[in-house]
Amino acid sequence: MASPPQPCVCVTGAGGFIASWLVKLLLSRGYAVHATVRDPSDRKNAFLKELDGASENLRLFQADVLDYGTLAAAFAGCEGVFHPATPVVGDKLVDPEKEMMAPTVKGTRNVLEACSATNVQKLVVVSSVAAACFDPNWPEDRLKDESCWSDKQICKEIESWYCLAKTEAEEMALEYGQKNGLHVVTFLPGHVVGPLLQTAVINISIKVFQYIIKGGSETMNNKFWPLVHVQDVADALLLVYEKGEPSQRYIGALEQMDIKDMVALLKTMFPNYDYVDKAVDVDYKLAFAADKLRSLGWKPRSLEETLADGVEFLEKAGLLREPCRLPYLYDMTAEE
């Protein structure tokens, strides 16, 4: 007897790094997927139609998180929604409110309200460990967990708009879910590395990793988010969708490594690259616990496998042949 079909779910920003791997995973598990993109006819989104199972179970919807109506149309008929779509700007922001805060916070508000209007049962919001890193009262000898929140005033003072936007959006999503009876779960990944499903658009996290391998003239702060493999992120998102409790946060990250330690390890694995050699030590160490997610059955790749997959992708994609520039977000001089 054939097993019943999986329900229909929607993934926002489906052409993105994390979202595209999630779409691929969902299709492989038999889910029908509504995928929102800004322009379904754009060549950079063509790879989505070529994923296994796409011809039968994938529909692309033109949508913008700042346009409530387009979201509601895409969510119609869906049991669940995954919301990874968010801007990550590599250059210095000219207008933080327009470029970062509105798409992230107002966009999440639109997603929440569209879920309610279309009777969506579950929503998974992709946040970031950035929403759990700036807590001045957190004990230095204790791993940060889901009870840790970034201090929004500190985020404003240091002009860390990405951290501020992620923190505000996540707080709002959890509060909305509790007040409106929507099953909301948030997921906080570390710095995501691994292969892209397309190379038409290279995202910021891959550009940073590329710079660490290639090196260059810019100076980096010797700090780093805990790493996580993109496929482990996709696995985690489906796991918290199927097993996560409502109004809960889940951190997904491997152990902390700063730039210098990472380079030292990479040199033992791939000795033939220049690597970044300009890294300034800072009093900024992050270490997160993923015990809560592991208790659901999450089994991420090892740190070595995660790094190896990241480097091998860059090699195969030809992204280690040309000089590269460090995105402003990670440039040491950009945060002084």
Side-chain angles (χ1 to χ4, degrees):
M1 182 176 178
S3 58
Q6 293 282 19
C8 182
V9 296
C10 185
V11 179
T12 67
F17 183 29
I18 293 172
S20 58
W21 275 105
L22 176 59
V23 170
K24 179 180 173 68
L25 176 63
L26 290 166
L27 291 172
S28 75
R29 299 287 180 86
Y31 280 86
V33 181
H34 290 186
T36 76
V37 293
R38 286 182 178 272
D39 182 0
S41 65
D42 192 319
R43 67 177 182 86
K44 71 181 182 182
N45 295 317
F47 75 100
L48 292 169
K49 302 174 185 177
E50 298 171 2
L51 296 174
D52 289 345
S55 59
E56 302 89 2
N57 286 324
L58 179 67
R59 290 181 62 192
L60 297 187
F61 287 78
Q62 182 174 1
D64 187 320
V65 293
L66 292 178
D67 186 336
Y68 166 85
T70 60
L71 293 174
F75 295 174
C78 291
E79 176 190 90
V81 170
F82 296 85
H83 179 44
T86 192
V88 182
V89 182
D91 296 321
K92 186 174 183 178
L93 296 177
V94 176
D95 186 343
E97 178 60 35
K98 180 179 179 180
E99 297 173 74
M100 181 62 65
M101 300 304 296
T104 306
V105 181
K106 185 179 178 181
T108 299
R109 166 64 69 172
N110 285 340
V111 167
L112 290 160
E113 293 179 352
C115 283
S116 292
T118 55
N119 298 314
V120 166
Q121 297 175 30
K122 290 184 180 181
L123 169 65
V124 178
V125 174
V126 180
S127 184
S128 167
V129 292
C133 62
F134 292 122
D135 181 351
N137 299 316
W138 194 266
E140 291 185 7
D141 59 350
R142 179 183 167 193
L143 294 176
K144 290 182 171 68
D145 60 28
E146 288 80 3
S147 65
C148 184
W149 284 89
S150 286
D151 185 297
K152 290 184 286 186
Q153 185 57 40
I154 291 177
C155 293
K156 293 175 183 177
E157 289 172 0
I158 64 175
E159 298 185 356
S160 184
W161 305 117
Y162 179 76
C163 292
L164 178 62
K166 281 296 190 180
T167 303
E168 287 194 1
E170 189 186 354
E171 284 183 340
M172 177 186 65
L174 291 170
E175 181 180 352
Y176 181 97
Q178 291 176 328
K179 288 185 176 180
N180 295 277
L182 177 63
H183 183 124
V184 176
V185 176
T186 61
F187 175 66
L188 291 71
H191 187 100
V192 185
V193 298
L196 285 163
L197 288 177
Q198 51 80 32
T199 55
V201 179
I202 308 301
N203 68 308
I204 297 300
S205 62
I206 294 297
K207 288 181 178 179
V208 173
F209 191 64
Q210 177 191 26
Y211 188 85
I212 290 171
I213 310 301
K214 286 281 294 178
S217 60
E218 290 98 345
T219 301
M220 297 186 75
N221 278 331
N222 186 35
K223 66 179 184 182
F224 209 72
W225 304 122
L227 293 173
V228 63
H229 194 290
V230 64
Q231 288 176 262
D232 292 332
V233 171
D235 288 343
L237 288 168
L238 184 53
L239 189 63
V240 299
Y241 176 77
E242 293 179 339
K243 296 184 177 182
E245 295 294 324
S247 305
Q248 294 296 311
R249 313 171 85 198
Y250 293 89
I251 289 174
L254 301 179
E255 59 265 38
Q256 161 74 19
M257 286 199 80
D258 62 23
I259 301 296
K260 291 181 179 179
D261 288 341
M262 184 188 305
V263 167
L265 177 57
L266 283 166
K267 283 181 177 178
T268 68
M269 300 167 63
F270 301 92
N272 297 323
Y273 292 107
D274 294 331
Y275 296 103
V276 63
D277 61 357
K278 296 180 180 180
V280 176
D281 287 328
V282 292
D283 183 20
Y284 187 88
K285 301 294 182 182
L286 293 174
F288 291 87
D291 297 344
K292 188 174 177 181
L293 183 60
R294 289 176 188 271
S295 71
L296 295 183
W298 189 57
K299 297 178 180 178
R301 290 159 177 78
S302 69
L303 178 63
E304 289 78 8
E305 187 177 357
T306 297
L307 290 171
D309 275 5
V311 174
E312 288 165 5
F313 163 73
L314 294 175
E315 290 175 339
K316 291 177 182 177
L319 296 174
L320 295 177
R321 299 172 189 160
E322 302 294 333
C324 57
R325 184 177 68 88
L326 179 66
Y328 175 88
L329 186 64
Y330 288 83
D331 187 336
M332 190 279 289
T333 58
E335 295 186 337
E336 290 185 326

